[in-house]
Amino acid sequence: MRKPTHIGMDLQFEWEDVNAFVRQPDGSLFSWCERFHFYRHLIYGIVNKSQSDIILKWDMEEIHWERGEPLLQRLESESIVKQVFPMHIETKRKELLRSWALNWLDFTKQPIDDIYSYFGTKIAVYFAFLGMYTRWMLFPAGLGLISQLIDFGPFQLLVLPIFFVSITLWAVMFFQFWKRKNSALLTRWQISYSVEADPGYDLGYKLSGKEWSLVQSTVELAGKEGQDRRKDKEKFQREEWFGAFLRVRNDAIVILCIICLQLPFELAYAHLYEVVGSDVIKFGLTAIYLFLIQHFTRIGGKVSVQLINHEKNVSREYRADSLVYKVFGLYFMQSYIGLFYHALLHRNFKTLRQVLIQRLIISEVLENLWENSFPYLKYSYKKHKVRKNKRHEKGSTRGKIQFASRVEKEYLKPSYSASIGEELEDGLFDDFLELALQFGMIMMFACVFPLAFAFAALVCPVQNNITEIRTDALKLLVIMKRPEPRTSVTIGAWLNIFQFLIVMSICTNSALLVCLYDQEGKWKIEPGLAAILVMEHVLLLIKFGVSRFVPEEPAWVRANRVKNATQAQDVCSKQLLRTISAKATKDD
């Protein structure tokens, strides 16, 4: 295993030189992700190394332990071992409950280092992102309240364009400064970006056969010369392009499914919403639609998982990112096509505001039920069922039934997995999806409903961004099993999705402003409308130009990286000089 050292280089770990390696923020030598890797290596490393099968006996049955087979794998296949999962550490769990999940004194304050030490990099990065997003959301929320509640008199005509420009600049700056914060966190935790790209550093997770063959072919190619190397290079290039073809094919299948199956359903709902007169029926129609479309979209997500299994991706994280793009395409169509229908075809902005409010409320209710209430009810039902069976075995109907061990109690808890399946391994997919859909909804239709920012950040009675931090924390600490750690060091594909939504919001809000200022529908290119079109192009230019002016790394992170590189070069140079000098002395 390679670990970061005090000079910034990742070197092979040796117990004899333990002081050369950096420690974790809590003082421990190994991170939770590394320890989890050790545990899996130990328990799955018990292999039948004899020359023949071994007969094991369990509950009057004989089990054949085949030669070269891991013991735990055989026990799992025989259902003797039901599940292998990490346990919560009660002392640390209660400390996090007190300092994090139940700490309401500071709405956005979080012990990020403690979260990293307990849950690993990926979950800590998510909560750091969620906390920063919630704090930054207060600016557009306040601006939206001001633009709607204050009458600016003769300047009222300029309020919406100014608000549109302000929230666009806010979104662009937020994600640029998030990149800076992300790099600062990784530097503080002594983690390099190369961890995610290195297939060999896949701690605790097994690469599939296709992934290992792809990695091994790369390694073998580097060790060959001449004609064999050219042939292997051509073979590797064919595999690379064939993998790209498979990804394009799968993307085309998803797009065709959206156009042929989901689009007619979405347009039918939007048209029915327009012709229905009763607000109560509209609200009920929206609730039924969102409930049904959630199940349809999850079916599409499971189909996407099957398509991903036939792709050639270099690592598990690349496969997860490919799945994120496909599934988000389904949710994008489900969430926004009806809104585009009301906004751009019917230009019915009153109806559009109603739909936005209803969707923000109903979607939050459904997400809260799906993420928190259903898992807790499922866990409670399992506990009740186990206690009932134990009472039946003892023949007693009174008294409190205790679990045999804490392991049995935690086994009944649901796993922290994605709603579309186990392929993504954890539930961060659903948490990021909820944020992305909310961000797209309030950004792309900001000019029609500026109060959406305040509604999402503060006002929503069921769950807003402030309470999202605490409910997600309670979900991880109380309701779910302790998640298996992942090695992702950024928010991955979600960053590209958020950037895409910013570009979409510039285009949609510009079109909405044109509709608002062109009430007669004649689409004349008058000075005001021309100014909106110019503003759109300027904002797009600013969007792609900010990254050139705001560095993605803070100055101290860059200086620390340069310092480590210099130290590493000096050490390597001295070691090389000693080797050359020793060899020259030996020759003399």
Side-chain angles (χ1 to χ4, degrees):
M1 185 191 67
R2 301 175 70 86
K3 278 184 65 65
T5 61
H6 289 289
I7 61 173
M9 293 181 64
D10 290 353
L11 300 178
Q12 183 78 23
F13 179 77
E14 298 289 346
W15 277 109
E16 295 78 7
D17 302 312
V18 66
N19 293 327
F21 297 93
V22 297
R23 293 182 174 270
Q24 302 301 308
D26 61 353
S28 59
L29 179 61
F30 298 108
S31 67
W32 162 233
C33 192
E34 292 167 338
R35 295 198 304 273
F36 181 78
H37 169 62
F38 300 156
Y39 299 147
R40 287 184 64 94
H41 177 75
L42 288 173
I43 62 178
Y44 282 98
I46 304 174
V47 179
N48 181 7
K49 297 182 180 180
S50 63
Q51 299 301 317
S52 60
D53 295 352
I54 297 177
I55 304 298
L56 304 175
K57 293 186 177 180
W58 171 265
D59 197 19
M60 305 301 292
E61 294 183 1
E62 291 186 350
I63 300 172
H64 290 269
W65 185 16
E66 298 179 359
R67 182 166 58 92
E69 181 184 26
L71 175 60
L72 188 57
Q73 183 175 320
R74 169 54 59 183
L75 297 179
E76 287 178 325
S77 64
E78 298 290 339
S79 299
I80 297 174
V81 174
K82 294 183 178 180
Q83 190 178 14
V84 178
F85 59 92
M87 293 280 292
H88 278 290
I89 303 173
E90 281 300 299
T91 54
K92 292 186 177 180
R93 188 182 73 88
K94 291 179 179 178
E95 183 181 346
L96 282 173
L97 276 172
R98 178 184 54 81
S99 63
W100 179 34
L102 301 178
N103 181 19
W104 291 91
L105 297 178
D106 189 337
F107 293 122
T108 59
K109 184 179 181 181
Q110 301 180 89
I112 293 298
D113 290 339
D114 295 337
I115 298 171
Y116 162 72
S117 299
Y118 191 72
F119 288 113
T121 310
K122 188 171 185 178
I123 290 180
V125 168
Y126 163 73
F127 278 101
F129 176 83
L130 180 59
M132 183 174 174
Y133 176 70
T134 303
R135 286 192 298 272
W136 278 61
M137 181 67 80
L138 297 178
F139 169 74
L143 195 62
L145 286 171
I146 292 173
S147 65
Q148 292 293 292
L149 300 180
I150 298 178
D151 185 6
F152 291 91
F155 300 101
Q156 190 68 32
L157 195 64
L158 300 176
V159 170
L160 288 180
I162 293 175
F163 177 75
F164 165 44
V165 172
S166 300
I167 60 110
T168 302
L169 294 177
W170 164 84
V172 172
M173 296 301 293
F174 165 72
F175 284 102
Q176 198 64 23
F177 276 90
W178 160 248
K179 295 177 185 178
R180 292 169 59 87
K181 182 178 179 63
N182 194 9
S183 64
L185 287 174
L186 297 180
T187 302
R188 194 166 79 198
W189 297 334
Q190 300 291 334
I191 298 175
S192 62
Y193 278 94
S194 60
V195 169
E196 187 179 27
D198 183 8
Y201 198 89
D202 200 50
L203 296 183
Y205 298 95
K206 299 178 181 178
L207 292 175
S208 66
K210 292 181 180 179
E211 291 171 349
W212 270 120
S213 64
L214 193 61
V215 174
Q216 290 172 347
S217 62
T218 308
V219 176
E220 293 172 359
L221 178 62
K224 294 183 177 181
E225 296 181 357
Q227 187 69 23
D228 292 338
R229 184 171 181 178
R230 282 195 296 271
K231 290 181 179 179
D232 288 340
K233 182 178 179 181
E234 292 175 358
K235 179 182 177 181
F236 183 72
Q237 287 177 339
R238 285 196 301 270
E239 291 180 354
E240 180 184 13
W241 286 108
F242 182 67
F245 168 76
L246 290 178
R247 287 190 291 273
V248 172
R249 183 204 65 181
N250 292 342
D251 293 340
I253 292 174
V254 172
I255 293 172
L256 287 175
C257 290
I258 291 174
I259 295 174
C260 299
L261 300 178
Q262 197 171 9
L263 183 60
F265 180 75
E266 301 287 345
L267 293 177
Y269 156 74
H271 178 72
L272 188 61
Y273 193 96
E274 283 284 347
V275 299
V276 170
S278 173
D279 291 338
V280 176
I281 297 178
K282 287 182 177 180
F283 190 87
L285 180 65
T286 302
I288 295 172
Y289 160 76
L290 290 177
F291 180 78
L292 292 176
I293 202 65
Q294 288 286 336
H295 291 280
F296 293 154
T297 309
R298 285 189 172 90
I299 293 173
K302 295 182 185 298
V303 173
S304 299
V305 170
Q306 298 302 317
L307 292 174
I308 291 294
N309 291 332
H310 297 285
E311 293 182 0
K312 291 186 177 182
N313 292 291
V314 71
S315 72
R316 193 183 200 95
E317 294 304 322
Y318 281 103
R319 189 165 70 246
D321 286 348
S322 179
L323 183 59
V324 165
Y325 290 131
K326 290 177 175 60
V327 177
F328 180 78
L330 298 173
Y331 277 91
F332 181 87
M333 180 66 67
Q334 171 250 312
S335 300
Y336 305 128
I337 189 63
L339 299 175
F340 290 144
Y341 180 85
H342 297 302
L344 301 179
L345 293 182
H346 280 269
R347 299 195 190 183
N348 191 338
F349 300 116
K350 180 180 178 181
T351 301
L352 180 57
R353 293 187 189 97
Q354 290 179 349
V355 174
L356 284 170
I357 295 173
Q358 291 174 5
R359 289 206 175 187
L360 284 172
I361 294 176
I362 297 174
S363 62
E364 290 291 348
V365 171
L366 292 178
E367 288 295 335
N368 191 41
L369 287 173
W370 188 267
E371 291 184 13
N372 302 317
S373 301
F374 287 161
Y376 179 76
L377 292 174
K378 185 178 179 181
Y379 171 49
S380 300
Y381 174 74
K382 284 184 177 180
K383 288 196 300 182
H384 171 74
K385 189 175 180 180
V386 170
R387 288 193 173 110
K388 183 179 179 180
N389 292 336
K390 288 188 175 183
R391 284 195 182 97
H392 180 72
E393 292 173 359
K394 292 183 177 181
S396 173
T397 59
R398 296 182 179 181
K400 187 175 182 180
I401 301 297
Q402 299 291 341
F403 287 97
S405 66
R406 190 163 60 89
V407 178
E408 182 184 6
K409 186 176 181 180
E410 290 208 18
Y411 166 71
L412 299 176
K413 293 182 177 180
S415 301
Y416 186 59
S417 59
S419 60
I420 60 173
E422 300 290 335
E423 185 69 18
L424 292 176
E425 296 297 335
D426 57 39
L428 286 181
F429 172 85
D430 298 305
D431 294 328
F432 269 119
L433 178 64
E434 182 182 356
L435 279 180
L437 293 177
Q438 182 202 77
F439 179 80
M441 195 170 296
I442 62 179
M443 281 291 296
M444 288 196 291
F445 305 96
C447 289
V448 174
F449 189 41
L451 287 176
F453 289 91
F455 198 88
L458 305 168
V459 181
C460 184
V462 179
Q463 186 169 351
N464 52 55
N465 288 351
I466 292 177
T467 58
E468 179 77 14
I469 296 175
R470 309 305 169 189
T471 55
D472 284 351
L474 285 171
K475 177 176 63 178
L476 286 170
L477 293 170
V478 178
I479 301 176
M480 302 288 185
K481 292 186 181 75
R482 189 180 183 183
E484 297 181 359
R486 300 282 301 274
T487 58
S488 298
V489 295
T490 66
I491 64 175
W494 293 107
L495 181 60
N496 295 330
I497 288 175
F498 280 111
Q499 301 281 14
F500 163 75
L501 291 174
I502 293 176
V503 176
M504 286 292 298
S505 70
I506 294 175
C507 300
T508 56
N509 280 288
S510 297
L512 289 173
L513 285 176
V514 170
C515 294
L516 286 170
Y517 288 109
D518 184 30
Q519 297 293 337
E520 298 179 359
K522 296 180 179 179
W523 297 90
K524 296 179 180 178
I525 305 300
E526 297 177 353
L529 302 182
I532 293 173
L533 296 176
V534 172
M535 181 175 61
E536 176 195 19
H537 288 72
V538 171
L539 288 175
L540 288 172
L541 181 62
I542 292 174
K543 160 68 182 70
F544 294 106
V546 164
S547 59
R548 305 294 300 176
F549 299 99
V550 181
E552 295 185 3
E553 288 182 333
W556 69 271
V557 171
R558 196 159 51 251
N560 185 71
R561 181 161 48 81
V562 172
K563 176 185 174 183
N564 290 336
T566 304
Q567 290 179 343
Q569 186 178 6
D570 292 342
V571 170
C572 292
S573 299
K574 291 178 181 179
Q575 184 65 34
L576 183 61
L577 287 174
R578 290 195 204 100
T579 304
I580 296 173
S581 178
K583 184 177 180 181
T585 303
K586 185 178 179 180
D587 293 340
D588 292 341

